[in-house]
Every structure is written in structure tokens, then in C-alpha cells.
């Protein structure tokens, strides 16, 4: 991840480069990665798997596996 340093050295400081994030690719071994790092989606506060829905002005949490049944704007 030293792109900018290598690029600057390669172009002697005269080049320009732009990076555009194009999304994530599918992980070919996600179960192995999840097991290796011991990831628990239900314990991840920053990136929760819980969805937030609203009814009559009140919000409520719904687990990821149940979220689709609460959606009313599907394709």
C-alpha cells in the first residue's frame, strides 16, 4: 500500500495519479477468514448486522436474518 511513494519515485515527482474505489469483490474463503479472526457479527458494534426500522414514529431493531420480512420496498 505504498502506491504514492513508489509512484512519486517512479515519476520523479512529476506524475499524477487518481484512485477511485470500485467496491469490494466476493471473498472466496469467507468462512475460513471469519473463523481465523473469530469474528462475531452480533458483537460488532461499529458494523452491526442489525437493521433499524421505523413504525409510527418509533425505531426498532431487527436482526439481519429477519430484516427482509419487515421490508415493504423490495424490488
Amino acid at each position: 500500500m505504498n502506491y504514492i511513494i513508489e509512484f512519486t519515485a517512479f515519476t520523479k515527482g512529476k506524475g499524477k495519479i487518481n484512485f477511485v474505489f470500485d467496491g469490494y469483490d466476493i471473498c472466496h474463503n469467507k468462512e475460513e477468514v471469519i473463523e481465523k479472526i473469530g469474528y462475531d457479527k452480533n458483537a460488532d458494534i461499529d458494523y452491526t448486522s442489525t437493521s433499524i426500522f421505523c413504525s409510527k414514529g418509533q425505531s426498532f431493531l431487527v436482526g439481519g436474518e429477519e430484516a427482509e420480512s419487515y421490508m415493504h420496498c423490495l424490488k
Side-chain angles (χ1 to χ4, degrees), residues 2 15-16 23 28 34 39 41 53 56 59 64-65 74:
N2 294 320
K16 292 184 180 181
H28 69 278
I34 290 169
Y39 182 71
K41 70 179 183 179
F53 286 87
K56 300 179 183 174
S59 62
E65 62 282 344
L74 296 174

Side-chain angles (χ1 to χ4, degrees), residues 1-6:
M1 300 299 275
N2 294 320
Y3 298 127
I4 197 66
I5 295 168
E6 292 179 24

Side-chain angles (χ1 to χ4, degrees), residues 41-57:
K41 70 179 183 179
N42 296 318
D44 190 337
I45 295 172
D46 291 329
Y47 300 98
T48 180
S49 62
T50 304
S51 296
I52 301 171
F53 286 87
C54 190
S55 177
K56 300 179 183 174

Side-chain angles (χ1 to χ4, degrees), residues 2-69:
N2 294 320
Y3 298 127
I4 197 66
I5 295 168
E6 292 179 24
F7 184 79
T8 301
F10 183 73
T11 63
K12 297 182 178 34
K14 296 181 180 181
K16 292 184 180 181
I17 190 167
N18 290 318
F19 292 99
V20 177
F21 179 70
D22 192 32
Y24 294 101
D25 202 351
I26 296 171
C27 181
H28 69 278
N29 61 337
K30 74 177 184 179
E31 288 83 12
E32 181 183 335
V33 172
I34 290 169
E35 184 178 332
K36 183 177 180 179
I37 65 171
Y39 182 71
D40 179 2
K41 70 179 183 179
N42 296 318
D44 190 337
I45 295 172
D46 291 329
Y47 300 98
T48 180
S49 62
T50 304
S51 296
I52 301 171
F53 286 87
C54 190
S55 177
K56 300 179 183 174
Q58 294 291 316
S59 62
F60 61 98
L61 303 176
V62 176
E65 62 282 344
E66 299 176 52
E68 191 170 329
S69 66

